[in-house]
Amino acid sequence: MSEGQSSARAPAGARTPVGRPLLSLTLASMMDEVHAHSGAVYLLSPDRPVLEMAVMAGLPRAFAAPWERVALSAPIPVADAVRDRRLVWVGGEEEMARRYPRIAVVLPYPFALAALPVATATRAYGAVFVTWPGTRPQELSDWERDHMAAACDRLAVRLERAAEQSLPLADEPDLLAAPLVGGTAGTLGSVEAARMVSRLPYGLCSLDVHGRVGFANAAAAELLDVPVGRLLGTHLWASVPWLNDPVYEDRYRAALFSQHVTSFVALRPPSDWLSFRLYPSTTGLSVRISRARAVTEMNRAAPQPGRAGARLVTISQVLDLAGALTEAVGVQDVVQLVADEVAPAVGSQGLVVLGSRAGRLQVLGHRGYPDPRVVERYDGMPLSEPTPGSQVLRTGVPAFFESRADVERLYPSLVSMSDFAAWAYLPLIASGRPVGTCVLSYTAPHHFATEERAVLTSLAGLIAQALERAVLYDAKHRLAHGLQEALLPHTLPSLAGIEAAARYLPATQGMEIGGDFYDLVPAQGMAAAVIGDVQGHNVTAAGLMGQVRTAVRAYTAVGQAPEDVMRSTNRLLLDLGAELFASCLYLRLDPAHGRAVMSRAGHPPPLLRRPDGRVRVLDLAGGPLLGIDGSASYPSTEVDFSPSSVLVLYTDGLVESPGTDFEVALADLGRRLTDLGDLPMDELADALVQHGADVGGRPDDVAVLLLRALPAG
């Protein structure tokens, strides 16, 4: 494979280089055709199995810095595309985390990616990847696949011709946004547009894809308290000292890479909070800056006082039912869905779903039986007992009884126990083995025509697949929750001078397990509290969470200061090599002297409710997420924790959800704390987490730790 590339990269003096920017034109054309917003071309090294990035478009090369040169054996999409000579498609954030976790750790944003080989029938010359925002469809269309493959094939042919003629490739610049617009505020290329922007009451500035300021109006300069001349051509987080926080830079990266509108709030010292909304495009970002009045007022203002008939089963119904069954998660979901959708569709009035465990029948669920004992008497019955349910489960052969007389001949004891008059016993067979029996019961004699028996048997196959998935899910769910409960504290200790309460709610998507954690431990006459969030919603995240929690306890026990606890935990995550990162907030409490010392690693800011009811967002110095930079520092901040004060520590699942602005959610949390802060701690904890639970499904875990300083004596 390297021979062709070697000749393509012959010394420049041997022949005149290829004149046109071959790689850039190919990449730009491909991105335009499939509406991608970034991409890159890699070329195979002439003397070793390494892919080298030749040109990138749409994003700063720094975003792909870890992969500028990658081994052909590396587990990344472009290497896979070259090795396997195939298109590699990654449809979104979750698939990226599952298949290429190293990329997901560095770029934890919603985006889709396609990688294709640049190769002829005999030689591979490199690869191309392109990306889209995460809002695009989950699958590539045939048209997109064909167009990208054709573009890569044409590029391979041109590279082959260049190699045959010993024509080297000239260096090509990356394809990024237009140059910065220099000069003074208002330089937009249109005098009238400049006048309009200068009259707006909120700040506007424009960033290129590198994050450098290309334009800022006077309102932006006033809000940031930095002259326009000092902003232009610089990064916001470099020119504005109080924005020099890794969390804010990450918001810029997230907006640019995902192409989603992103927002955050930041404290402009000494007491004014500003709201930043980032509107991305393929050429950079537009930033709107305004006063976050709700959060500011939260920190300043005092609290306000007082606040059945049978239907013909058609093909379309079968398809609809099949689609519905794919959405069932647990066993009870399957039972309920069959009762709601399948049974009425076939005219059945009663339903029983049977399984087996340790050689005995297991009643997984039933509907339509006025007396539950009629069904539950079979739970635990040996499979050797002469019942149609056990017979069908053992043999995998369906049984249809059109009247009571049909049953009475073989199973006389069953008739007296039920008011139904006809039954269909359907074997549930998945992966070549019986996983249960579905019993459909009818209140009147029922003739099962040949066509109906075929439909019922087909439906049983769909139910069986759903049931098999559900049984496996329930088993994993029990395991996951057992692990989660074992890793989180069962109770909080009673510590002098502190009243505490905590709550944990798992995400309602996936396995309902995650990496959120909290703890409260005695610390040499004082107390230490921690809350954090390990990336991910799976057993791996929960396991790492347990290690982090244990490590924090150990570092606390040996008397490390908050900033040292964070540094030690950060190094531990890197040493474990888990390729996951975590946010964390650690604090040392000294209620006897009315103070708390805190250290933060990329975690949302805590709230403090003072004795007079005022609530403020605490601005804490911080460092990057744990597990990223081994040399990172985590400075500490001391805050007042006088008697009757309440600290609210939380994970981002409490205030972040799709379509919700962070500033609005944080202000809403502050208002609820103002109104409810005098409640007993357990009631307050329930109220704070219940509000989030009422909104709808939780895409993320929620952990809350409340701490109240008790009056002396």
Side-chain angles (χ1 to χ4, degrees), residues 340-367:
D340 292 343
E341 301 286 345
V342 177
V346 299
S348 171
Q349 291 79 42
L351 166 72
V352 182
V353 179
L354 300 171
S356 65
R357 182 171 54 191
R360 295 179 178 273
L361 279 177
Q362 182 182 12
V363 178
L364 300 177
H366 59 85
R367 301 290 187 274

Side-chain angles (χ1 to χ4, degrees), residues 302-383:
Q304 299 298 320
R307 296 172 52 129
R311 294 181 290 163
L312 177 65
V313 180
T314 63
I315 292 296
S316 61
Q317 282 181 304
V318 172
L319 294 174
D320 181 60
L321 295 172
L325 283 167
T326 62
E327 299 176 0
V329 179
V331 170
Q332 292 309 310
D333 293 334
V334 174
V335 173
Q336 190 62 51
L337 197 146
V338 173
D340 292 343
E341 301 286 345
V342 177
V346 299
S348 171
Q349 291 79 42
L351 166 72
V352 182
V353 179
L354 300 171
S356 65
R357 182 171 54 191
R360 295 179 178 273
L361 279 177
Q362 182 182 12
V363 178
L364 300 177
H366 59 85
R367 301 290 187 274
Y369 284 76
D371 186 357
R373 292 174 298 176
V374 172
V375 177
E376 292 169 0
R377 66 188 288 261
Y378 296 101
D379 195 48
M381 182 178 290
L383 290 177

Side-chain angles (χ1 to χ4, degrees), residues 380-399:
M381 182 178 290
L383 290 177
S384 57
E385 288 288 323
T387 67
S390 58
Q391 176 73 12
V392 169
L393 199 152
R394 287 197 314 269
T395 64
V397 178

Side-chain angles (χ1 to χ4, degrees), residues 512-525:
E512 299 189 10
I513 182 174
D516 287 17
F517 66 96
Y518 60 85
D519 207 354
L520 179 65
V521 295
Q524 301 174 342

Side-chain angles (χ1 to χ4, degrees), residues 313 315 318 321-322 325 342 398 400 426-429 451-465:
V313 180
I315 292 296
V318 172
L321 295 172
L325 283 167
V342 177
F400 299 93
L426 308 171
L428 304 178
I429 300 174
E451 295 82 357
E452 185 175 2
R453 295 187 183 208
V455 169
L456 291 177
T457 303
S458 298
L459 287 174
L462 298 174
I463 296 169
Q465 294 177 33

